[in-house]
C-alpha cells in the first residue's frame, strides 16, 4: 500500500522558457532527502497541459532517473500504455459529468488496460463530478486500482464515511494541503502535497506523527502547516510555490505558462513570511 508523503513536482523553467532540467533534478533530490516517500510527475502542479510531448518526456525521464517511487499523471489508455512507474494518477473524468456509473465504468476500462496500478484523483471542485462513499467503495474494488488522491475541498460526509470504513488494501492519500492534518487524524495513509516543496521535512514529520499516534506533536505541527499551505495556495497552484522557490534560489525563474499568470509579489512575500515566522516558532 502507498503510504507517506508524495510531492507533485513543479516544472521549473529557465530564463528562455525551457525546462530547467538541473533544477528539476535538484528539487527531486531535495524533497526525497527531506523525507518524501516518492514523487509525482506530470500532476496538475507540473503544468502538463502547457508542456509539449517532448517536454513531458523530458520531465518523466528526469524524475525516473532518481530511482524513487514515482506516480505519473496519466488519464487515457494511450498515455498509460507505455508507462513504467509505481502507479498512475488518473483523474475522475472532468467536465462531462458522466455520473457515478459512468465514472466506475471508465476507470474499470482504464485499469484493465493499464500496465501499472491506478491512483484515482477525486477532486470534484475541478471535475464537477461528485462521488458518494458508495461510489468510492466501488472504485476501490476495481482490480488494479490501489488508492485515491482525495481532494473534496474539505471534510465532507462522504470523506468521513470513507475513512470510518476504509476499503482493505486501498490507500487514501490526502490531496487538499490545508486539510491534510485532520485527514491524517481520521486515518488517511499519507498525502500528495504540493506545499511540501517548502519545508518537506515538516510535512513528512506530520504524517509520521499521526501514524505513530503522537498527537502532542501532530496537532500543533498540523496547525502550523495549514497556515503555510493556505499561503501557498492563495493564488492558483503552483504560482505561489514557484515564487517562493525562486525567492529561495532553488529554481532559476518563477515562470509559469498560460493560462496561469505569475503570483503577485504580495502573495509570495506573505508565503515567505509564513515560512520564516513558523521556522522561529
Amino acid at each position: 500500500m502507498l503510504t507517506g508523503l508524495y510531492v507533485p513536482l513543479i516544472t521549473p523553467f529557465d530564463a528562455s522558457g525551457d525546462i530547467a532540467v538541473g533544477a528539476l533534478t535538484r528539487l527531486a533530490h531535495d524533497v526525497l532527502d527531506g523525507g518524501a516517500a516518492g514523487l509525482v510527475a506530470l500532476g496538475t502542479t507540473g503544468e502538463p497541459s502547457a508542456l509539449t510531448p517532448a517536454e513531458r518526456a523530458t520531465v518523466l525521464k528526469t524524475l525516473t532517473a532518481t530511482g524513487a517511487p514515482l506516480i505519473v499523471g496519466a488519464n487515457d489508455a494511450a498515455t498509460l500504455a507505455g508507462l513504467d512507474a509505481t502507479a498512475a494518477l488518473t483523474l475522475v473524468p472532468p467536465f462531462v459529468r458522466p455520473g457515478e456509473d459512468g465514472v466506475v465504468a471508465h476507470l474499470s476500462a482504464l485499469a484493465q488496460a493499464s500496465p501499472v496500478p491506478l491512483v484515482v484523483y477525486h477532486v470534484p471542485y475541478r471535475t464537477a463530478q461528485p462521488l458518494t462513499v458508495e461510489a468510492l467503495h466501488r472504485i476501490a474494488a476495481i482490480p488494479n486500482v490501489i488508492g485515491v488522491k482525495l481532494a473534496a475541498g474539505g471534510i465532507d460526509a462522504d470523506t468521513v464515511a470513507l475513512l470510518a470504513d476504509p476499503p482493505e488494501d486501498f490507500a487514501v492519500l490526502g490531496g487538499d494541503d490545508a486539510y491534510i492534518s485532520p485527514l491524517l487524524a481520521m486515518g488517511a495513509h499519507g498525502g500528495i502535497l504540493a506545499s511540501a516543496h517548502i519545508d518537506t521535512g515538516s510535512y513528512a514529520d506530520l504524517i509520521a506523527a499521526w501514524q505513530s499516534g503522537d498527537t502532542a506533536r501532530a496537532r500543533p505541527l498540523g496547525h502550523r502547516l495549514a497556515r503555510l499551505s493556505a499561503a501557498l495556495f492563495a493564488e492558483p497552484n503552483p504560482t505561489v510555490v514557484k515564487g517562493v522557490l525562486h525567492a529561495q534560489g532553488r529554481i532559476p525563474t518563477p515562470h509559469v505558462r498560460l493560462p496561469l499568470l505569475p503570483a503577485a509579489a504580495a502573495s509570495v512575500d506573505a508565503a515567505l513570511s509564513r515560512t520564516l515566522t513558523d521556522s522561529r516558532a
Side-chain angles (χ1 to χ4, degrees), residues 149-213:
K149 178 184 177 182
L150 191 63
I155 310 293
D156 63 9
D158 290 301
T159 298
V160 173
L162 179 68
L163 290 171
D165 182 24
E168 188 175 358
D169 297 323
F170 182 76
V172 178
L173 303 174
D176 280 318
D177 297 32
Y179 296 99
I180 188 59
S181 190
L183 286 170
L184 291 165
M186 295 168 64
H189 302 97
I192 297 177
L193 307 173
S195 299
H197 284 85
I198 316 299
D199 199 2
T200 309
S202 290
Y203 285 93
D205 287 348
L206 177 68
I207 294 170
W210 278 119
Q211 289 179 341
S212 68

Side-chain angles (χ1 to χ4, degrees), residues 85-229:
T86 302
L89 183 63
T90 302
L91 191 63
V92 169
F95 189 74
V96 294
R97 301 178 69 183
E100 292 185 343
D101 289 346
V103 170
V104 173
H106 171 76
L107 293 173
S108 296
L110 287 182
Q112 184 175 10
S114 176
V116 301
L118 305 187
V119 175
V120 172
Y121 186 7
H122 177 42
V123 54
Y125 53 84
R126 291 182 184 266
T127 64
Q129 177 59 68
L131 295 173
T132 62
V133 66
E134 291 80 12
L136 291 168
H137 274 275
R138 289 171 65 193
I139 289 167
I142 298 171
N144 208 33
V145 172
I146 62 170
V148 62
K149 178 184 177 182
L150 191 63
I155 310 293
D156 63 9
D158 290 301
T159 298
V160 173
L162 179 68
L163 290 171
D165 182 24
E168 188 175 358
D169 297 323
F170 182 76
V172 178
L173 303 174
D176 280 318
D177 297 32
Y179 296 99
I180 188 59
S181 190
L183 286 170
L184 291 165
M186 295 168 64
H189 302 97
I192 297 177
L193 307 173
S195 299
H197 284 85
I198 316 299
D199 199 2
T200 309
S202 290
Y203 285 93
D205 287 348
L206 177 68
I207 294 170
W210 278 119
Q211 289 179 341
S212 68
D214 186 357
T215 57
R217 168 71 173 154
R219 286 176 178 151
L221 184 55
H223 294 158
R224 174 169 77 81
L225 293 178
R227 294 190 294 268
L228 174 58
S229 290

Side-chain angles (χ1 to χ4, degrees), residues 63-75:
L63 297 183
T64 299
T66 67
L70 183 65
I71 301 173
V72 179
N75 299 308

Side-chain angles (χ1 to χ4, degrees), residues 228 230-236 239-241 243-244 262-274:
L228 174 58
L232 291 169
F233 278 78
E235 297 193 36
T239 61
V240 181
V241 171
V244 171
S267 296
V268 176
D269 289 345
L272 281 167
S273 176
R274 176 58 61 194

